Amino acid sequence: MYKSCRRLQAIERQKEFGITLISMMNQMDYVDITITSICKKMNISRNIFYRYFDTLEDVLYMVMDQVLMEAFLMLEGCPKLEDFFSFWKNEKPFLDILEKSGKNQLLIERAYIVCFENRKFKNFSMRDMEYAGIMSAFITIILIWHQSGMNYTICEMTTLIKSMFVTRK
């Protein structure tokens, strides 16, 4: 698990780990990246790494969670689905890296977790589970869209999502 930081300096350090990991994933296979290699690239000790994270995968979780939170904020209140799909179109390089490393499916799991962790649920209601399920479904659709080369337009994807939530008689 990654640690929740409050101080700006600590938050920035965590972001540096995320940026470094994604940069390394762009250049090499995820399985070849180690805590030692990320620390060496950042020119820091392993002890510093462990102040913020327990495992290398926790760094990836943090990056995913940050991206998901940004995306989900677009769906709060009165959402513009076009903005949501535009966001993910801009995140294509990130999705490419996840797919190349075989970690893209983790994004669905993290979507569900982010919904619960960031709402601080104590007792899960049906509505809470419904919300988490919908967000996970949205991310599944994003991944399918990405795997298809994002050939469908943002307008077509928006129409697809809207059609899924229209009550049929």
Side-chain angles (χ1 to χ4, degrees), residues 121-136:
F121 296 128
K122 291 189 171 97
N123 297 312
F124 301 133
S125 70
M126 289 299 271
R127 181 78 179 128
D128 300 333
M129 288 186 273
E130 178 184 46
Y131 177 79
I134 289 169
M135 293 301 112
S136 298

Side-chain angles (χ1 to χ4, degrees), residues 69-81:
M69 282 301 300
E70 191 175 341
F72 291 169
L73 285 174
M74 291 179 184
L75 296 176
E76 292 288 323
C78 185
K80 284 181 141 182
L81 289 173

Side-chain angles (χ1 to χ4, degrees), residues 75-92:
L75 296 176
E76 292 288 323
C78 185
K80 284 181 141 182
L81 289 173
E82 294 84 358
D83 293 343
F84 180 75
F85 284 104
S86 293
F87 171 84
W88 285 106
K89 188 122 182 156
N90 291 334
E91 290 294 327
K92 185 181 181 314

Side-chain angles (χ1 to χ4, degrees), residues 76-114:
E76 292 288 323
C78 185
K80 284 181 141 182
L81 289 173
E82 294 84 358
D83 293 343
F84 180 75
F85 284 104
S86 293
F87 171 84
W88 285 106
K89 188 122 182 156
N90 291 334
E91 290 294 327
K92 185 181 181 314
F94 176 64
L95 295 172
D96 291 343
I97 289 168
L98 291 179
E99 185 172 349
K100 177 184 146 228
S101 66
K103 297 291 184 181
N104 52 347
Q105 296 300 311
L106 261 179
L107 203 57
I108 300 167
E109 176 185 322
R110 295 309 299 175
Y112 196 81
I113 290 168
V114 163

Side-chain angles (χ1 to χ4, degrees), residues 2 16 19 24-25 27 34 36-37 44 47 50 52 67 86 89 91 96 114-115 122 129 134-135 141 147 150 157-158:
Y2 60 91
E16 287 176 44
I19 290 166
M24 291 176 77
M25 288 173 70
Q27 299 168 7
T34 63
T36 300
S37 66
I44 59 167
N47 290 341
Y50 289 112
Y52 304 101
V67 171
S86 293
K89 188 122 182 156
E91 290 294 327
D96 291 343
V114 163
C115 288
K122 291 189 171 97
M129 288 186 273
I134 289 169
M135 293 301 112
I141 289 167
Q147 289 170 344
M150 293 185 162
M157 295 305 295
T158 300

